[in-house]
Amino acid sequence: MAEHYVPEDLPTHIQHFINGKFVDSVGGQTFDVLDPVTNKTYATAAAGQKEDINAAVAAAREAFVNGPWPKMKPRERARVLNKIADAVEAQEARLAEMETFDTGLPITQAKGQALRAAENFRFFADLIVAQFDDAMKVPGSQINYVNRKPIGVAGLITPWNTPFMLESWKLAPALATGNTVVLKPAEFTPLSASLWADIFSAAGVPAGVFNLVNGLGEEAGDALVKHPEVPLISFTGETTTGQTIFRNAAENLKGLSMELGGKSPCVVFADADIDAAIDSALFGVFSLNGERCTAGSRILVERPVYDEFLEKYAARAKNIVVGDPHDPKTQVGALVHPEHYKKVMSYVEIGKSEGRLIAGGGRPEGLEEGNYVSPTVFADVKPDARIFQEEIFGPVVAITPFDSDEEALELANGVKYGLAAYIWTQNLTRAHNFSQNVEAGMVWLNSHNVRDLRTPFGGVKSSGLGHEGGYRSIDFYTDQQAVHITLGSVHTPKFGAQAASEIDY
């Protein structure tokens, strides 16, 4: 194996960022941060506890109540957001190599994440300047208008699979709308999140508006969710964690936006462009190392083309380049952490008794260390199999045949998740009817996962609560206050008048 690439000037210790300053945990707690290619510790990070979250929330609350950020004109905030986008683009190469080193994502895929992060800030900068609200008039009687205003301190809890980009997806609308934030990044991947502090400060974000507390979900994340002065929680992550957050947010009736797990179907009908469907179905589950919430990890194929699909799909899967994440030829890198590697490999072993293994099934040859898993394909998987029902979040796919549209829909909807769906057919009527009946928050027809930032993003069933994206993000991060003004004389029943006859109902 070639010598593993290590970016220059890596920090050996990662701190919190609270009220404009880098700080360690009050109690001095730390945790180790691993490189997923060697599983060796390359840094320690401050491990946030309740007292650190309290300090971050106090700074964010002070900045919200007494600071300039919430009161700035939309154009002023937009200028700052565009400066942030400029800085992210200027650091694209550095961000990509740090993200690859921290997550194990292939470098070619990490580069795209930096540019998408910049676009998120530009998009919401444009949106808040163009934002307008409703006014309703009853001639001669009343006018009503909507006063939209920021809510307060937003708690943002982000995952480890594409951390920098997904942090931007929450930070941009939360800040654009005038809120202040406390970000709790995933403990597996704190490296790229540590760059936000300097980017924001240089762009002119006032102290206290952006705060970052590293730490474990059970400690820092739990304290953030339970804090009574954090009215909003936006969370992306695993479903059972989302359920815990839902319970813990109930006491203070917090606003919640949660994008959770997925076990999305990719449905291939016999009339589909099979080669295009195979391209998409391979990319959909093996890009980002299979560590993507919208992965089409259940492929349902109509019987007449089932054998052809299996043969072509398995041959391509075996040909996928697995290797060092920093090598531009690599298509699947190392999984993020040894704990997650063990989970994914346990599902590979389960799958060997639940389906017919036609590709992969273990560690690639020549990669004896690090969290590497060969792209793994199981065929003939029954719908009650664990590898069909449960989210694996790795380069593992289950393929199942079907004989009718009705059976395909039953299989597609036959799991607890409902995040995405991919449909491949040339039949226009079937395409629309199937798309509208599949239980998924997002559907791609004859397409891989490409997104327009104006569209709603979210899932149904166990895949999430609420939607973000475009104006849905603006709605989540603002209160919409209705203001009513009478234009004519006020006609009110005269309760308490001396004579009942004077009361005009």
PDB file of all heavy atoms in Angstrom, residues 207-222:
ATOM      1  N   ALA A 207     -19.119  38.602  17.342  1.00  0.00           N
ATOM      2  CA  ALA A 207     -18.872  37.607  18.391  1.00  0.00           C
ATOM      3  C   ALA A 207     -20.188  37.171  19.017  1.00  0.00           C
ATOM      4  O   ALA A 207     -21.069  37.987  19.265  1.00  0.00           O
ATOM      5  CB  ALA A 207     -17.936  38.185  19.448  1.00  0.00           C
ATOM      6  N   GLY A 208     -20.307  35.878  19.285  1.00  0.00           N
ATOM      7  CA  GLY A 208     -21.510  35.337  19.918  1.00  0.00           C
ATOM      8  C   GLY A 208     -22.579  34.877  18.951  1.00  0.00           C
ATOM      9  O   GLY A 208     -23.464  34.114  19.335  1.00  0.00           O
ATOM     10  N   VAL A 209     -22.510  35.336  17.696  1.00  0.00           N
ATOM     11  CA  VAL A 209     -23.521  34.916  16.716  1.00  0.00           C
ATOM     12  C   VAL A 209     -23.296  33.459  16.326  1.00  0.00           C
ATOM     13  O   VAL A 209     -24.242  32.687  16.199  1.00  0.00           O
ATOM     14  CB  VAL A 209     -23.481  35.827  15.477  1.00  0.00           C
ATOM     15  CG1 VAL A 209     -24.359  35.289  14.353  1.00  0.00           C
ATOM     16  CG2 VAL A 209     -23.912  37.236  15.862  1.00  0.00           C
ATOM     17  N   PHE A 210     -22.033  33.087  16.146  1.00  0.00           N
ATOM     18  CA  PHE A 210     -21.675  31.700  15.838  1.00  0.00           C
ATOM     19  C   PHE A 210     -20.861  31.131  16.979  1.00  0.00           C
ATOM     20  O   PHE A 210     -19.843  31.690  17.381  1.00  0.00           O
ATOM     21  CB  PHE A 210     -20.864  31.614  14.548  1.00  0.00           C
ATOM     22  CG  PHE A 210     -20.214  30.269  14.346  1.00  0.00           C
ATOM     23  CD1 PHE A 210     -20.967  29.178  13.934  1.00  0.00           C
ATOM     24  CD2 PHE A 210     -18.855  30.091  14.584  1.00  0.00           C
ATOM     25  CE1 PHE A 210     -20.373  27.923  13.763  1.00  0.00           C
ATOM     26  CE2 PHE A 210     -18.259  28.851  14.418  1.00  0.00           C
ATOM     27  CZ  PHE A 210     -19.018  27.764  14.002  1.00  0.00           C
ATOM     28  N   ASN A 211     -21.330  29.997  17.504  1.00  0.00           N
ATOM     29  CA  ASN A 211     -20.614  29.306  18.570  1.00  0.00           C
ATOM     30  C   ASN A 211     -20.540  27.826  18.213  1.00  0.00           C
ATOM     31  O   ASN A 211     -21.486  27.272  17.641  1.00  0.00           O
ATOM     32  CB  ASN A 211     -21.330  29.465  19.913  1.00  0.00           C
ATOM     33  CG  ASN A 211     -21.527  30.929  20.279  1.00  0.00           C
ATOM     34  OD1 ASN A 211     -20.660  31.558  20.863  1.00  0.00           O
ATOM     35  ND2 ASN A 211     -22.682  31.484  19.919  1.00  0.00           N
ATOM     36  N   LEU A 212     -19.422  27.200  18.559  1.00  0.00           N
ATOM     37  CA  LEU A 212     -19.202  25.795  18.232  1.00  0.00           C
ATOM     38  C   LEU A 212     -18.745  25.064  19.487  1.00  0.00           C
ATOM     39  O   LEU A 212     -17.809  25.499  20.154  1.00  0.00           O
ATOM     40  CB  LEU A 212     -18.153  25.676  17.126  1.00  0.00           C
ATOM     41  CG  LEU A 212     -17.822  24.287  16.590  1.00  0.00           C
ATOM     42  CD1 LEU A 212     -17.354  24.390  15.138  1.00  0.00           C
ATOM     43  CD2 LEU A 212     -16.737  23.584  17.411  1.00  0.00           C
ATOM     44  N   VAL A 213     -19.450  23.983  19.780  1.00  0.00           N
ATOM     45  CA  VAL A 213     -19.052  23.135  20.909  1.00  0.00           C
ATOM     46  C   VAL A 213     -18.898  21.706  20.395  1.00  0.00           C
ATOM     47  O   VAL A 213     -19.851  21.098  19.921  1.00  0.00           O
ATOM     48  CB  VAL A 213     -20.083  23.175  22.053  1.00  0.00           C
ATOM     49  CG1 VAL A 213     -19.659  22.242  23.186  1.00  0.00           C
ATOM     50  CG2 VAL A 213     -20.247  24.601  22.579  1.00  0.00           C
ATOM     51  N   ASN A 214     -17.665  21.188  20.465  1.00  0.00           N
ATOM     52  CA  ASN A 214     -17.431  19.800  20.105  1.00  0.00           C
ATOM     53  C   ASN A 214     -17.842  18.890  21.256  1.00  0.00           C
ATOM     54  O   ASN A 214     -17.973  19.334  22.398  1.00  0.00           O
ATOM     55  CB  ASN A 214     -15.942  19.583  19.798  1.00  0.00           C
ATOM     56  CG  ASN A 214     -15.521  20.288  18.529  1.00  0.00           C
ATOM     57  OD1 ASN A 214     -15.973  19.940  17.450  1.00  0.00           O
ATOM     58  ND2 ASN A 214     -14.656  21.286  18.658  1.00  0.00           N
ATOM     59  N   GLY A 215     -18.011  17.609  20.946  1.00  0.00           N
ATOM     60  CA  GLY A 215     -18.318  16.685  22.023  1.00  0.00           C
ATOM     61  C   GLY A 215     -19.202  15.543  21.586  1.00  0.00           C
ATOM     62  O   GLY A 215     -19.650  15.463  20.432  1.00  0.00           O
ATOM     63  N   LEU A 216     -19.471  14.662  22.526  1.00  0.00           N
ATOM     64  CA  LEU A 216     -20.302  13.497  22.276  1.00  0.00           C
ATOM     65  C   LEU A 216     -21.774  13.885  22.272  1.00  0.00           C
ATOM     66  O   LEU A 216     -22.192  14.816  22.973  1.00  0.00           O
ATOM     67  CB  LEU A 216     -20.049  12.423  23.336  1.00  0.00           C
ATOM     68  CG  LEU A 216     -18.590  12.002  23.568  1.00  0.00           C
ATOM     69  CD1 LEU A 216     -18.522  10.882  24.605  1.00  0.00           C
ATOM     70  CD2 LEU A 216     -17.923  11.575  22.272  1.00  0.00           C
ATOM     71  N   GLY A 217     -22.563  13.140  21.511  1.00  0.00           N
ATOM     72  CA  GLY A 217     -23.993  13.401  21.477  1.00  0.00           C
ATOM     73  C   GLY A 217     -24.645  13.248  22.833  1.00  0.00           C
ATOM     74  O   GLY A 217     -25.529  14.030  23.211  1.00  0.00           O
ATOM     75  N   GLU A 218     -24.186  12.255  23.593  1.00  0.00           N
ATOM     76  CA  GLU A 218     -24.786  11.983  24.902  1.00  0.00           C
ATOM     77  C   GLU A 218     -24.462  13.064  25.924  1.00  0.00           C
ATOM     78  O   GLU A 218     -25.130  13.138  26.971  1.00  0.00           O
ATOM     79  CB  GLU A 218     -24.300  10.623  25.440  1.00  0.00           C
ATOM     80  CG  GLU A 218     -24.641   9.438  24.571  1.00  0.00           C
ATOM     81  CD  GLU A 218     -23.610   9.170  23.473  1.00  0.00           C
ATOM     82  OE1 GLU A 218     -22.764  10.067  23.207  1.00  0.00           O
ATOM     83  OE2 GLU A 218     -23.649   8.079  22.886  1.00  0.00           O
ATOM     84  N   GLU A 219     -23.455  13.881  25.645  1.00  0.00           N
ATOM     85  CA  GLU A 219     -23.058  14.935  26.583  1.00  0.00           C
ATOM     86  C   GLU A 219     -23.389  16.309  26.017  1.00  0.00           C
ATOM     87  O   GLU A 219     -24.364  16.949  26.430  1.00  0.00           O
ATOM     88  CB  GLU A 219     -21.569  14.798  26.901  1.00  0.00           C
ATOM     89  CG  GLU A 219     -21.229  13.487  27.593  1.00  0.00           C
ATOM     90  CD  GLU A 219     -19.739  13.203  27.695  1.00  0.00           C
ATOM     91  OE1 GLU A 219     -18.927  13.944  27.100  1.00  0.00           O
ATOM     92  OE2 GLU A 219     -19.383  12.225  28.392  1.00  0.00           O
ATOM     93  N   ALA A 220     -22.612  16.768  25.041  1.00  0.00           N
ATOM     94  CA  ALA A 220     -22.842  18.107  24.486  1.00  0.00           C
ATOM     95  C   ALA A 220     -24.170  18.193  23.736  1.00  0.00           C
ATOM     96  O   ALA A 220     -24.940  19.149  23.903  1.00  0.00           O
ATOM     97  CB  ALA A 220     -21.682  18.486  23.556  1.00  0.00           C
ATOM     98  N   GLY A 221     -24.458  17.190  22.895  1.00  0.00           N
ATOM     99  CA  GLY A 221     -25.708  17.211  22.138  1.00  0.00           C
ATOM    100  C   GLY A 221     -26.926  17.179  23.041  1.00  0.00           C
ATOM    101  O   GLY A 221     -27.897  17.916  22.835  1.00  0.00           O
ATOM    102  N   ASP A 222     -26.874  16.342  24.065  1.00  0.00           N
ATOM    103  CA  ASP A 222     -27.983  16.217  25.006  1.00  0.00           C
ATOM    104  C   ASP A 222     -28.233  17.527  25.744  1.00  0.00           C
ATOM    105  O   ASP A 222     -29.382  17.968  25.896  1.00  0.00           O
ATOM    106  CB  ASP A 222     -27.659  15.096  26.005  1.00  0.00           C
ATOM    107  CG  ASP A 222     -28.816  14.803  26.941  1.00  0.00           C
ATOM    108  OD1 ASP A 222     -29.873  14.324  26.472  1.00  0.00           O
ATOM    109  OD2 ASP A 222     -28.666  15.062  28.154  1.00  0.00           O
TER     110      ASP A 222
END
